[in-house]
Amino acid sequence: MSTVADVSGTRVLRAVLCASACLVPGAVAATAAPSWYPYSAAAWAATVDGADPKCQEGHMQSPIDFPQCLEVETRPPLQASWGTHDVVLKNNGHTVQLDVPATAGKFAIDAHEYQLRQCHFHTGSEHTVGGRQLDMVAHCVHVKTAGPMANQRFGVLGIFFEASDTESDAFLAQFVDHLPANPDGSHRRLSTVGADTVSSFTGPVDFGLLSGTAPITEYYSYNGSLTTPPCSEVVDWYVPIHRHKVSREQLAKFTVAIGVVGGNYRPPQGLHDRSVAGCRSVAKPWYPYDAKVWANEVHGANPLCQDGHMQSPIDLPQCLEVEARPPIQVSWGKHDVVLKNNGHTVQLDVPATAGKFNIGANEYQLRQCHFHTGSEHTV
């Protein structure tokens, strides 16, 4: 029977540290493997580069959907000491990746210690929270060097990013203008040796701007897998609940550089019998609607949802005769959008300078449009 050490020492270690796309020197495949994205469980199990049946059949797969916390648990402190390092900034056809020296920083929690090897990026996020996908995530991959199963497991610290119209991220700003392009227009790993596109930028990069200097005490954790083929189930996942802000300009640069239409992410996998730590109490879903639950037990709960006297929606009266009213002037125009699903609805976000509507002396600036099936107001 193969042990975890057997797997990690040959296949998994190479898969992680090379972003699951290393090739044997001198080897040239006769036919390029199918693209990893968009994700297909059947293809990842059988036909893509690094394919493994575990990608379809495993019961400890990643990513997963994290619960939305009603109360966040204060956890044992996770201390990242990543420091400032020279880097190799590359695009391997699946992601943009920062490789660091073997002696680069680490993170520790209790008796567990993990040595940093690389950070790479997904647009949008792979893990979701309460069904909501975030705009981007950084996965910083470590080899476990102390604690149970040292040198046989990996630790990944995943940092969520939310798009912002007003804020940018200082960590990303260090290299976002130097991102190398996808080496393959078809968005798959090339079949030739040395096909990575490597940036002339070599740092240094201050990784402390990503991890922060204070210990992290609010985070999700669970046991899972690589989120790319061969999907090996040898990863200790740690994902801080706090999210970084990424400007829409920074996000657009990553999206273009990664070059994968629709995003380079695997969707959430089944939890099966695993447990996820991070919440003292878990928020209930918004729907089906329950006034008491909205007042006390959902994310954003407020007693006003149950006790308020000016709540919406309402039942609008059916008019026998329609009244001529002061005109509403809508000037929305045409705009670029962010089309997203936040776990409650599909939503179109627009720039801060997008259209507006006026009625009399009242003026309203457009921010977003979202959808309900069926309608909330009735007539």
Side-chain angles (χ1 to χ4, degrees):
M1 179 181 290
S2 296
T3 66
V4 175
D6 295 332
V7 176
S8 65
T10 57
R11 190 175 185 181
V12 177
L13 185 60
R14 294 177 65 244
V16 174
L17 302 188
C18 302
S20 302
C22 287
L23 296 175
V24 177
V28 178
T31 305
S35 174
W36 281 0
Y37 305 108
Y39 169 74
S40 163
W44 280 30
T47 60
V48 301
D49 184 29
D52 192 293
K54 197 178 276 85
C55 296
Q56 189 170 29
E57 300 168 1
H59 281 198
M60 297 184 69
Q61 290 292 290
S62 298
I64 61 170
D65 180 44
F66 290 126
Q68 178 70 63
C69 296
L70 186 62
E71 296 178 273
V72 177
E73 181 182 1
T74 300
R75 311 278 311 280
L78 189 160
Q79 182 66 59
S81 53
W82 284 345
T84 300
H85 306 283
D86 290 338
V87 298
V88 175
L89 174 58
K90 67 185 183 184
N91 190 318
N92 61 21
H94 304 303
T95 187
V96 170
Q97 181 170 309
L98 291 164
D99 289 348
V100 298
T103 56
K106 60 186 179 181
F107 81 86
I109 175 171
D110 293 332
H112 308 274
E113 187 170 286
Y114 303 85
Q115 185 74 40
L116 180 64
R117 288 292 182 263
Q118 51 102 332
C119 295
H120 63 266
F121 301 87
H122 297 270
T123 58
S125 71
E126 298 205 295
H127 290 89
T128 56
V129 180
R132 180 191 174 195
Q133 184 182 40
L134 283 298
D135 296 290
M136 189 169 86
V137 69
H139 286 168
C140 292
V141 181
H142 304 67
V143 175
K144 188 170 189 178
T145 54
M149 302 190 76
N151 301 311
Q152 300 179 45
R153 292 187 67 81
F154 300 96
V156 180
L157 191 59
I159 309 293
F160 284 132
F161 289 87
E162 284 186 310
S164 171
D165 291 321
T166 59
E167 299 179 58
S168 60
D169 185 77
F171 171 73
L172 303 179
Q174 298 175 102
F175 57 91
V176 70
D177 291 326
H178 306 280
L179 299 177
N182 190 305
D184 182 10
S186 65
H187 314 312
R188 65 171 69 96
R189 181 72 159 99
L190 291 179
S191 299
T192 53
V193 174
D196 295 350
T197 303
V198 179
S199 173
S200 59
F201 174 82
T202 58
V205 171
D206 181 0
F207 285 83
L209 294 175
L210 182 61
S211 64
T213 55
I216 301 167
T217 58
E218 296 181 343
Y219 55 91
Y220 297 106
S221 63
Y222 75 104
N223 293 331
S225 74
L226 307 183
T227 64
T228 56
C231 308
S232 303
E233 296 175 342
V234 290
V235 180
D236 302 332
W237 279 97
Y238 302 90
V239 180
I241 291 174
H242 169 75
R243 299 155 187 178
H244 283 233
K245 298 294 186 182
V246 55
S247 72
R248 297 201 183 278
E249 181 181 8
Q250 290 176 322
L251 180 60
K253 289 178 179 179
F254 271 91
T255 301
V256 170
I258 290 170
V260 177
V261 176
N264 62 331
Y265 62 89
R266 186 190 198 191
Q269 305 297 297
L271 189 60
H272 298 288
D273 59 352
R274 290 176 289 175
S275 60
V276 178
C279 297
R280 183 178 298 276
S281 60
V282 174
K284 291 186 176 180
W286 280 4
Y287 303 108
Y289 169 73
D290 181 300
K292 184 177 180 181
V293 171
W294 279 32
N296 300 285
E297 299 179 75
V298 300
H299 181 62
N302 191 315
L304 208 57
C305 297
Q306 186 173 27
D307 302 332
H309 283 197
M310 297 183 69
Q311 292 291 291
S312 297
I314 61 171
D315 180 45
L316 302 171
Q318 178 70 60
C319 295
L320 184 61
E321 296 180 84
V322 177
E323 180 184 3
R325 307 286 308 282
I328 296 175
Q329 182 63 52
V330 180
S331 53
W332 284 346
K334 185 181 292 185
H335 305 282
D336 291 335
V337 299
V338 175
L339 176 59
K340 66 185 183 184
N341 188 319
N342 61 19
H344 308 300
T345 186
V346 171
Q347 181 169 310
L348 291 164
D349 288 348
V350 297
T353 56
K356 58 187 178 181
F357 80 84
N358 300 77
I359 177 169
N362 302 301
E363 183 172 288
Y364 304 86
Q365 186 74 42
L366 179 64
R367 285 292 180 263
Q368 51 98 337
C369 295
H370 62 265
F371 303 87
H372 298 270
T373 58
S375 72
E376 296 206 296
H377 289 86
T378 57
V379 181

